[in-house]
Amino acid sequence: MIEILNPAELTRARATGALVADILRTLRSRSVVGTNLLDLDRWTRELIEEAGAQSCYVDYAPSFGRGPFGHYVCTAVNDAVLHGMPHDYALADGDLLTLDLAVLLDGIAADSAVSFVVGDARPPESVALIDVTERALAAGIAAAGPGGRLGDVSHAIGTVLGGAGYPINTEFGGHGIGSTMHQDPHVSNTGRPGRGYRLRPGLLLALEPWVMADTDELVVDADGWTLRSATGCRTAHSEHTIAITPDGAEILTLPTSA
């Protein structure tokens, strides 16, 4: 089912999106050399509970994972790219960290992810990976206008990723979102323009371009959740929840202040 939100639900979606963005901003500021991933997870739980929201992850048990996820934020480091399960690991200078967060507030979910380099190091490969996912995300958002097609969004994302020379994996991508975290339609990170579902005002989409430096093949970690690059190369992932409006795409997962 593809869910279309009414104006009152869209107002609630804006509040959820801002909460997700604010929590991610706080977590990013605390992600310094020596920070433990389990501390990031604990802080996420505290921030969600303080806001009166609910985690979309802790009880999440889809077919591709091993039982309930059991944590509040995805923490993917270096060669991990998706569904990174927090574990006892202290961040090191130069680590490429992706934080992916989804919460439910007042009946509406929002989902966002950010990748960044920890500490003072700036490995060129990591910087390039992050940059291309951010540019691809911006291109996808720009293509998400009312009356357009889902393929327009996927094509815009894929043009940036492929144009930079990165392989594109199509097993996982963006998705519809609303009263639940994962809904139809699936939003591939590559596609053909003019094809697919016609975008309508009230539709919420989580767009999430992600890449691995030299492969499109994933392997599953021993924890049954964390997806890593098959070659051990570095990865990056950027995501926003957007709403289709009569005037274009509105980014919901922006922080409440600079």
Side-chain angles (χ1 to χ4, degrees), residues 98-125:
T98 298
L99 299 173
D100 190 354
L101 176 66
V103 304
L104 187 75
L105 178 67
D106 198 16
I108 304 293
D111 192 359
S112 185
V114 59
S115 291
F116 55 94
V117 179
V118 175
D120 297 324
R122 289 293 177 269
E125 178 187 70

Side-chain angles (χ1 to χ4, degrees), residues 44-98:
T44 304
R45 176 179 181 175
E46 292 170 354
L47 291 165
I48 290 173
E49 291 178 347
E50 286 172 6
Q54 297 82 46
S55 169
C56 291
Y57 291 165
V58 67
D59 295 322
Y60 188 52
S63 59
F64 56 79
R66 184 189 299 163
F69 186 69
H71 294 273
Y72 293 80
V73 64
C74 293
T75 55
V77 182
N78 296 332
D79 63 322
V81 64
L82 298 172
H83 314 151
M85 182 174 280
H87 58 284
D88 186 13
Y89 175 79
L91 293 169
D93 190 40
D95 276 346
L96 199 167
L97 174 63
T98 298

Side-chain angles (χ1 to χ4, degrees), residues 82-83 111 169-176 182 185-190 206-210 237 239:
L82 298 172
H83 314 151
D111 192 359
N169 177 290
T170 56
E171 294 174 79
F172 295 92
H175 51 89
H182 282 153
H186 171 73
V187 187
S188 176
N189 282 328
T190 186
L207 306 184
E208 46 183 314
W210 58 275
H237 173 198
E239 178 179 13

